[in-house]
Amino acid sequence: MGMNRADAYYEPDDYDDRSDEIEERTWELMKIGADYDYKTSGAISEALSEMGVDDAKALQDAIDTGDYEQIGRKIVMMAMDYMEHHAKEVAEFEIND
């Protein structure tokens, strides 16, 4: 089975890459809306209650250092990642649908 000339060149289907738009909207949601503010006790509580095995291990490693600044930084970063994930889901829904 030989390849004919039409098969020799592949051109991907056009698609609308909206990742920049989604990223921008994600950060807007995090800045303007209290729903995605990671600097709240509620956001931290949610992030901690939903953490997976990898986050739990990383947090435990930070706790084991006894460095409270490092522990706090880890907890805040976990809350930020958690809220960013949810804001991104909303941004994707808004932009892609």
Side-chain angles (χ1 to χ4, degrees):
M1 299 199 65
M3 186 181 348
N4 74 29
R5 272 311 218 166
D7 294 334
Y9 177 74
Y10 170 75
E11 187 171 325
D13 295 333
D14 286 336
Y15 69 96
D16 190 11
D17 181 11
R18 300 175 126 185
S19 58
D20 289 342
E21 193 177 344
I22 290 169
E23 185 176 331
E24 183 177 330
R25 180 63 180 145
T26 299
W27 287 110
E28 282 176 12
L29 287 169
M30 290 181 72
K31 283 191 289 187
I32 62 171
D35 293 341
Y36 306 103
D37 184 0
Y38 64 93
K39 295 177 275 183
T40 67
S41 59
I44 290 170
S45 176
E46 268 187 68
L48 291 174
S49 72
E50 297 289 327
M51 77 176 143
V53 174
D54 292 339
D55 279 334
K57 178 167 179 358
L59 180 56
Q60 186 61 55
D61 290 345
I63 291 168
D64 290 345
T65 68
D67 181 345
Y68 293 108
E69 186 175 335
Q70 182 180 348
I71 296 165
R73 209 176 297 121
K74 179 61 184 166
I75 290 171
V76 170
M77 290 304 297
M78 288 171 61
M80 186 178 106
D81 291 344
Y82 180 81
M83 288 303 178
E84 180 182 3
H85 170 77
H86 289 289
K88 184 175 183 180
E89 285 181 341
V90 170
E92 287 173 344
F93 178 78
E94 288 178 358
I95 291 168
N96 289 331
D97 288 334

